[in-house]
Amino acid sequence: MQIIEVTNKRQLVDFIKFPLTLHKDDPFFTPELTRDLKEHLSAEKNPFFKHADVKYYLAFRNNDCVGRIASIVNRRHLEFHNDGVGFFGFYDSIDDKLVAKSLLDTAAVYLKSAGLSVMRGPMNFSTNEECGFLIDGFEHPPVLMTPHNPVYYMALMESCGMSKSKDLYAYITDIPEALPEKVERVAQIAEKSGVTVTKIDKRHFNEELAKFKEVYNSAWEKNWGFIPLTDEELTYIGKRLSQIIEPDTALVASKNGEPIGFLGLFPDFNIVLRKMMGKLNPITIAKALYYSRKIKGTRLLLLGIRAGYRNRGVDALLFREGFKGCRKHGFKSVEFSWILEDNLPVQMLVKMIGGSLYKTFRIFEKAI
């Protein structure tokens, strides 16, 4: 058994491609494009690294790669929360306790050397991105930017002394022809109070991003694990999402010209990524063009209402207009994810719209 730190580009490619071998027989496995992951995991390309230190590790047994992990010191998290928490992410391994323990222990040693006292994860790289292990709902394929992993990961985590930190919920529903009467009524109240909803204007995307940041950093400030986005991170994330954003389902709510809320329903491009299997070439591009026309599902990736405007029907109004956009483009379903297990107001609203809980993701932690 050997754990090595990734120190060159060839090893980074091995780190990126290991899941392609490990999960090759899982029909729900949905890898990002290798090209995109090379950029995302690069300190030169991803602005996350301007306030974070990251180490990547690979586990080998008899010269065969059997696991991987990243150890993450997020200085902005520490400045914002002052909780001594470091993170692990990008975890994958065979079903072997020794492999899991070796990887987690290696990540913990690095975090402890940085003066941290708790290891939490998985985070790829933060709560602003993909996080958690799927622990319930394995019979359903993953939607855009959500985790999917083998059933045995939970047992591995618990066998290595990791315990629950927080559960994240995913709800799903068919897109309704009309909102329930009670939800429609509160949407109309917001409308009559002067709240307006507009589509994202892709021609002025940078200005729209500025509106989003203003609302996001205010609306999510009290959320568990929240870290404010920097301007550079916002531009970087915006660039990635702009390729798949649909203006009719990406909306901003305003009052008196001031942005007060946002909603982002994104087409589930995972159906495309599953056909491309990490590769970008003429054949996979042709597949992408073909299968992108067959997308019927969406994910509610973004939802935020500024403090002072909550419980006034703004979210209901955004849902009403967002669902209109979904129907216009032929989308049939929406996954609401993820929602914190203790965010009861949003869960109640989603249930009123018809959403049912169908997946749970878990973030683990332990003292180090």
Side-chain angles (χ1 to χ4, degrees), residues 2 52 128-129 150 183 260 333:
Q2 182 185 19
N128 291 323
E129 302 171 66
V183 182
I260 61 171
S333 66

Side-chain angles (χ1 to χ4, degrees), residues 53-57 69-73 87-89 106-108 110-111:
D53 300 309
V54 181
K55 300 281 189 183
Y56 305 121
Y57 301 98
I69 199 169
S71 190
I72 304 158
V73 179
F87 301 92
F88 76 91
T106 300
Y110 174 65
L111 297 178

Side-chain angles (χ1 to χ4, degrees), residues 42-174:
S42 166
E44 290 75 36
K45 300 290 182 66
N46 187 343
F48 173 80
F49 289 84
K50 293 194 173 183
H51 55 79
D53 300 309
V54 181
K55 300 281 189 183
Y56 305 121
Y57 301 98
L58 289 166
F60 288 89
R61 178 182 285 158
N62 299 326
N63 296 320
D64 291 327
C65 187
V66 291
R68 70 172 193 173
I69 199 169
S71 190
I72 304 158
V73 179
N74 187 336
R75 294 188 296 277
R76 273 179 67 81
H77 173 92
L78 294 169
E79 291 166 6
F80 199 76
H81 294 281
N82 191 31
D83 56 6
V85 173
F87 301 92
F88 76 91
F90 298 95
Y91 179 93
D92 280 289
S93 79
I94 61 172
D95 187 6
D96 187 300
K97 180 182 174 181
L98 177 59
V99 173
K101 187 175 188 306
S102 299
L103 287 167
L104 290 166
D105 286 351
T106 300
V109 166
Y110 174 65
L111 297 178
K112 197 168 183 179
S113 73
L116 305 178
S117 57
V118 174
M119 179 169 69
R120 182 180 295 162
M123 301 279 184
N124 302 346
F125 290 102
S126 73
T127 54
N128 291 323
E129 302 171 66
E130 185 178 302
C131 53
F133 284 135
L134 181 68
I135 65 167
D136 182 59
F138 293 93
E139 66 273 27
H140 304 288
V143 303
L144 180 74
M145 295 173 64
T146 63
H148 182 77
N149 49 264
V151 174
Y152 60 78
Y153 277 16
M154 182 173 175
L156 286 180
M157 293 299 109
E158 291 177 339
S159 72
C160 294
M162 304 292 291
S163 58
K164 172 186 167 181
S165 176
K166 185 74 73 172
D167 279 354
L168 316 172
Y169 292 157
Y171 288 77
I172 195 164
T173 187
D174 293 335

Side-chain angles (χ1 to χ4, degrees), residues 77-363:
H77 173 92
L78 294 169
E79 291 166 6
F80 199 76
H81 294 281
N82 191 31
D83 56 6
V85 173
F87 301 92
F88 76 91
F90 298 95
Y91 179 93
D92 280 289
S93 79
I94 61 172
D95 187 6
D96 187 300
K97 180 182 174 181
L98 177 59
V99 173
K101 187 175 188 306
S102 299
L103 287 167
L104 290 166
D105 286 351
T106 300
V109 166
Y110 174 65
L111 297 178
K112 197 168 183 179
S113 73
L116 305 178
S117 57
V118 174
M119 179 169 69
R120 182 180 295 162
M123 301 279 184
N124 302 346
F125 290 102
S126 73
T127 54
N128 291 323
E129 302 171 66
E130 185 178 302
C131 53
F133 284 135
L134 181 68
I135 65 167
D136 182 59
F138 293 93
E139 66 273 27
H140 304 288
V143 303
L144 180 74
M145 295 173 64
T146 63
H148 182 77
N149 49 264
V151 174
Y152 60 78
Y153 277 16
M154 182 173 175
L156 286 180
M157 293 299 109
E158 291 177 339
S159 72
C160 294
M162 304 292 291
S163 58
K164 172 186 167 181
S165 176
K166 185 74 73 172
D167 279 354
L168 316 172
Y169 292 157
Y171 288 77
I172 195 164
T173 187
D174 293 335
I175 292 170
E177 285 299 320
L179 293 176
E181 184 181 346
K182 183 177 179 180
V183 182
E184 175 63 35
R185 190 163 60 247
V186 295
Q188 290 174 2
I189 290 172
E191 205 167 29
K192 289 175 181 176
S193 74
V195 177
T196 59
V197 171
T198 55
K199 299 185 294 185
I200 291 289
D201 186 349
K202 293 184 77 171
R203 297 169 302 174
H204 302 95
F205 197 60
N206 289 336
E207 291 89 335
E208 300 288 20
L209 283 177
K211 293 179 188 176
F212 167 77
K213 181 188 175 187
E214 184 180 342
V215 176
Y216 177 81
N217 285 343
S218 169
W220 283 51
E221 184 178 10
K222 305 296 184 183
N223 276 19
W224 179 87
F226 168 78
I227 310 165
L229 288 169
T230 66
D231 288 339
E232 287 177 290
E233 284 181 295
L234 184 66
T235 300
Y236 175 78
I237 293 171
K239 178 184 174 185
R240 299 185 87 203
L241 293 178
S242 67
Q243 303 171 54
I244 59 172
I245 198 168
E246 173 48 64
D248 287 311
T249 60
L251 309 173
V252 176
S254 303
K255 187 168 184 179
N256 300 323
E258 176 189 12
I260 61 171
F262 61 82
L263 174 145
L265 285 156
F266 285 79
D268 180 18
F269 267 81
N270 271 11
I271 185 176
V272 175
L273 292 175
R274 277 191 286 276
K275 301 298 181 181
M276 300 181 77
M277 290 304 293
K279 299 175 183 177
L280 190 65
N281 57 45
I283 293 175
T284 61
I285 290 172
K287 287 183 177 180
L289 292 172
Y290 176 77
Y291 283 101
S292 63
R293 296 192 292 268
K294 295 184 174 296
I295 295 172
K296 297 300 180 184
T298 62
R299 179 190 174 198
L300 180 68
L301 178 62
L302 304 170
L303 176 66
I305 310 295
R306 293 182 67 166
Y309 293 96
R310 295 170 190 158
N311 303 314
R312 297 186 180 182
V314 178
D315 45 8
L317 182 58
L318 284 165
F319 276 128
R320 189 188 76 186
E321 298 305 308
F323 287 164
K324 284 181 183 177
C326 286
R327 292 193 296 271
K328 175 181 175 181
H329 290 276
F331 299 134
K332 302 297 184 183
S333 66
V334 56
E335 177 181 295
F336 306 88
S337 65
W338 41 262
I339 302 171
L340 290 167
E341 61 178 327
D342 45 11
N343 190 343
L344 300 182
V346 171
Q347 290 181 46
M348 286 178 61
L349 176 62
V350 168
K351 289 175 183 176
M352 287 176 63
I353 293 171
S356 56
L357 178 64
Y358 86 128
K359 285 185 182 179
T360 304
F361 309 104
R362 177 162 295 173
I363 297 170

